[in-house]
Amino acid sequence: MPRPKKRRMVQKSSKVRFFKPQGVPLSELKAAVLNEDGIEALRLADAEGLEHTAAAHLMGISRPTFSRLVSHARTTVATALTEGMALKIDGGGVDLVHACRPKTELNSQDCQQIRRRRGFCGRASVVSQDVGVMPEEGVDDA
């Protein structure tokens, strides 16, 4: 009999439940399922740039478990993107906690000192823009 799965801590629940390719009805797509803990692992490792040890601590799990979780989440997202599938964000065994509150209480100064990956500059390189009216395929914007 396997050991019961340990509940993972996430800082906020995802508001969005599906991502899908543009122009294809959801009813015509297959979906790759990404659990809440998987999206939290992606956020901590890739968007926030935390080292796996620090991110695992925030989620209340071991570092090897975090590494497996983020690897599986990356594979799921990459498969959905390359295969033209919808990405369904589903529940899972998670507990919602307030920002930066692992098992042991951290104060705001501790939160600022959590180790980030070397060379990580935050989200500065992520470009955010309104979708607005998308140009038609094959038409230049010139």
Side-chain angles (χ1 to χ4, degrees), residues 23-90:
V24 182
L26 190 58
S27 61
E28 296 178 13
L29 293 171
K30 290 185 178 182
V33 179
L34 180 63
N35 289 335
E36 288 277 350
D37 56 356
I39 201 157
E40 179 74 354
L42 285 175
R43 185 185 72 79
L44 292 173
D46 297 334
E48 300 296 330
L50 296 181
E51 291 184 350
H52 286 201
T53 304
H57 182 69
L58 287 174
M59 288 186 71
I61 56 178
S62 70
R63 197 233 12 107
T65 298
F66 180 83
S67 294
R68 283 190 299 274
L69 187 61
V70 76
S71 177
H72 184 264
R74 286 174 178 161
T75 301
T76 301
V77 171
T79 300
L81 290 174
T82 59
E83 301 288 327
M85 300 168 77
L87 187 60
K88 179 182 179 182
I89 300 171
D90 202 5

Side-chain angles (χ1 to χ4, degrees), residues 68-130:
R68 283 190 299 274
L69 187 61
V70 76
S71 177
H72 184 264
R74 286 174 178 161
T75 301
T76 301
V77 171
T79 300
L81 290 174
T82 59
E83 301 288 327
M85 300 168 77
L87 187 60
K88 179 182 179 182
I89 300 171
D90 202 5
V94 298
D95 289 326
L96 196 59
V97 296
H98 296 306
C100 202
R101 274 194 139 144
K103 285 183 179 178
T104 58
E105 284 294 318
L106 292 177
N107 62 34
S108 61
Q109 185 180 12
D110 292 331
C111 289
Q112 301 304 318
Q113 294 175 350
I114 291 176
R115 300 232 6 199
R116 298 197 183 274
R117 291 191 310 266
R118 174 177 266 156
F120 183 79
C121 299
R123 297 180 183 168
S125 63
V126 176
V127 177
S128 176
Q129 58 182 237
D130 291 333

